[in-house]
Amino acid sequence: MMQRRPAVVYDVARLAGVSHQTVSRVLNDHPSVSQTTRQRVLDAVRQLGYRPNAMARGLAGRRSRIVGVVSFDTLLYGPAATLLGVERAARAAGYGVSIATVERIDRPAVVSATGALAEQSVAGVVVIAPQTAAAAALRSMPAGMPAVAVEADTDGAIPTISVNQIAGARMAVEHLLRLGHRTVWHLSGPRDWLETRGRIEGWRAALVAAGLPVPPLMTGDWSARSGHAAGMRLAARDDVTAVFAGNDQMALGMMSAFHERGIRVPDDVSIVGFDDIPEAAYLSPPLTTVRQDFDEVGRRCMAALLRLIETDRLEGPARPAADPVVEPSLIVRDSAATPAH
């Protein structure tokens, strides 16, 4: 026996004897529809068991109940987790999500992606833009398009939501200093990422405030491989007792390198990461790290975007988000300890 397909908006229109635009107006509670026609449409909806999707609810207006997300390199944990947080918040607010992934956040890519989303009549756009090159691109957002950025330098062009990277780095370093370490090495992410800059600033500020020497900065690329390479370099030194890795993947690679060289974590060297990836609690030893609340980032993005959509205040300087900075938290596990010497 064949299963009957779900009813669509055109089935409701046919049964009610109206256009599909009228059905959409009823679903959007538009005042231009007479009470008699409204009731006829609602009766057809109940009879057919029709369940309107987000796009159908928005057909009567200029924009749908769909938000667009422009994201960069979703294979990296941070952007992927941010995307998931935004998607969860959008659905909780009754919006569907259309995703446009670009290879890099630059002006041509952002213009192309937002143009494609605009053709879908999205209600607004969230841009996950963690690289410094994104600033010029975000200033080129289509006029009249409600937009919010995540971890971006927009020069005030659009509201931005971000995690307090400086505070997170200071948490990591100050934890190691409280354990008795006399300095902390840092393996950063790529220099063209805003998160990298914030974490470097926090690392350096914590050491300077404590009156301790600042070791040479090492740079990675967020990968475990780059963490492994840095770990091999540090393993050749005899003056390293503590390392703050710019993310958990690089911390994982560093732990592997130390293990290969017979250096024990945390007995010989303490390590603190950043992100709190799902695997962090199951490493050996479990990784002390800084947690970013990506669900909260998503909620605040949607709150800021909905304010723009609902008030339609889209001209002039962008209003700052009400709560633009999400505070991170330190998750203490077993990869950091008092130095042995």
Side-chain angles (χ1 to χ4, degrees):
M1 180 178 178
M2 292 183 62
Q3 186 175 7
R4 191 179 69 176
R5 66 168 175 80
V8 297
V9 67
Y10 296 100
D11 298 323
V12 176
R14 188 179 301 109
L15 182 60
V18 298
S19 69
H20 71 273
Q21 292 95 333
T22 297
V23 173
S24 190
R25 291 189 188 98
V26 171
L27 296 175
N28 281 277
D29 201 26
H30 198 281
S32 66
V33 183
S34 71
Q35 186 58 42
T36 301
T37 301
R38 185 183 305 275
Q39 190 59 52
R40 196 160 69 244
V41 169
L42 293 176
D43 289 342
V45 167
R46 281 191 290 271
Q47 183 175 335
L48 295 172
Y50 173 63
R51 299 182 64 182
N53 60 29
M55 186 65 80
R57 286 196 300 268
L59 285 175
R62 185 167 62 92
R63 295 190 178 98
S64 69
R65 289 187 68 84
I66 301 286
V67 295
V69 179
V70 179
S71 182
F72 163 78
D73 196 350
T74 54
L75 294 178
L76 291 170
Y77 177 74
T82 302
L83 174 59
L84 182 59
V86 170
E87 185 172 11
R88 285 172 173 163
R91 296 197 184 284
Y95 281 77
V97 176
S98 181
I99 301 167
T101 302
V102 296
E103 291 186 5
R104 55 178 291 130
I105 299 287
D106 56 19
R107 187 178 182 281
V110 169
V111 169
S112 175
T114 54
L117 292 170
E119 289 179 359
Q120 300 175 38
S121 299
V122 295
V125 173
V126 174
V127 184
I128 301 172
Q131 293 176 301
T132 56
L138 293 172
R139 287 193 293 269
S140 303
M141 294 290 292
M145 171 71 77
V148 175
V150 182
E151 297 292 351
D153 178 8
T154 68
D155 293 333
I158 61 175
T160 302
I161 307 296
S162 61
V163 174
N164 192 336
Q165 306 294 337
I166 297 173
R170 291 197 69 144
M171 286 178 188
V173 175
E174 289 168 357
H175 174 66
L176 290 164
L177 298 183
R178 283 193 299 270
L179 290 172
H181 296 276
R182 301 308 300 160
T183 193
V184 178
W185 290 70
H186 180 42
L187 172 61
S188 79
R191 300 290 189 93
D192 62 340
W193 284 62
L194 293 164
E195 293 150 312
T196 294
R197 294 185 177 186
R199 292 170 201 177
I200 291 172
E201 183 178 342
W203 161 70
R204 185 173 285 119
L207 291 176
V208 170
L212 296 174
V214 179
L217 176 67
M218 300 182 296
T219 303
D221 62 6
W222 300 130
S223 71
R225 181 174 59 184
S226 69
H228 184 274
M232 286 297 188
R233 293 197 300 273
L234 291 178
R237 305 180 63 101
D238 60 6
D239 60 345
V240 178
T241 67
V243 184
F244 164 45
N247 75 341
D248 290 349
Q249 282 92 346
M250 293 193 298
L252 183 158
M254 189 171 288
M255 291 168 71
S256 176
F258 287 160
H259 177 74
E260 291 173 23
R261 290 299 180 91
I263 296 172
R264 299 167 299 168
V265 177
D267 303 65
D268 301 319
V269 177
S270 292
I271 299 179
V272 175
F274 206 106
D275 277 344
D276 194 27
I277 61 175
E279 298 83 4
Y282 304 99
L283 299 178
S284 183
L287 181 65
T288 293
T289 186
V290 176
R291 174 180 293 165
Q292 303 191 78
D293 190 342
F294 294 109
D295 282 339
E296 181 62 22
V297 170
R299 283 190 290 271
R300 295 194 192 183
C301 275
M302 279 305 301
L305 188 61
L306 288 175
R307 278 195 297 272
L308 291 175
I309 294 168
E310 291 167 1
T311 62
D312 202 33
R313 183 180 175 182
L314 304 176
E315 295 183 359
R319 294 174 300 159
D323 299 295
V325 179
V326 177
E327 295 299 328
S329 56
L330 181 70
I331 307 300
V332 177
R333 297 192 178 102
D334 300 332
S335 63
T338 301
H341 54 81

